[in-house]
Amino acid sequence: MWTKSRIVSVAVFTFSLTSLAHAGEIDVLRGKFGFDWFHDPAKGKCLKITDKLLTEFKSKRYKCDLDVKKNTSTEVGARTCATISQDKEYLIFDTKRQCDDERETQASNE
């Protein structure tokens, strides 16, 4: 028979596994390139996604969409990681060239 405390323990354990799985999925971004498109793209630059930035993305401050979307200015597929407060949003591309092309296109459109 399941006691209330056992049900809560199982729920907490399941949630922990889900959080760890999501955190591990974000590792797919390692080595890719991104920029915060909420700030002036002309002054920005594409950053390589390193362990330091991945740690930020894994924090509770960020929510990432790892599905590749092609709704960018250059129509190249990108993933996103945005702060919960919505003051930053990184567009993340597979290559530096794709990232630079998108940033430059956005800068020329302003």
Side-chain angles (χ1 to χ4, degrees):
M1 179 163 191
W2 288 78
T3 63
K4 188 175 182 179
S5 63
R6 187 167 188 174
I7 292 171
V8 170
S9 295
V10 170
V12 168
F13 177 73
T14 303
F15 178 74
S16 297
L17 287 179
T18 303
S19 295
L20 287 174
H22 181 67
E25 291 171 5
I26 292 176
D27 288 340
V28 73
L29 302 176
R30 180 180 283 113
K32 300 196 181 319
F33 295 85
F35 70 98
D36 178 8
W37 75 286
F38 282 4
H39 291 87
D40 184 358
K43 294 181 181 178
K45 65 178 185 174
C46 290
L47 304 172
K48 187 170 187 174
I49 309 301
T50 62
D51 288 339
K52 181 179 179 183
L53 202 47
L54 279 174
T55 299
E56 291 262 337
F57 292 160
K58 290 176 184 179
S59 74
K60 292 179 182 180
R61 291 182 15 172
Y62 277 86
K63 180 168 176 50
C64 296
D65 182 353
L66 301 177
D67 292 332
V68 177
K69 306 275 189 314
K70 291 193 174 186
N71 59 350
T72 61
S73 297
T74 56
E75 298 182 7
V76 173
R79 296 172 176 99
T80 59
C81 285
T83 55
I84 299 298
S85 62
Q86 300 181 351
D87 62 333
K88 290 183 181 183
E89 184 170 6
Y90 285 86
L91 292 178
I92 302 166
F93 298 87
D94 287 339
T95 68
K96 186 168 187 327
R97 180 76 254 154
Q98 292 170 337
C99 184
D100 285 335
D101 287 347
E102 178 67 22
R103 187 189 56 73
E104 290 167 9
T105 300
Q106 286 192 20
S108 70
N109 289 336
E110 287 193 359

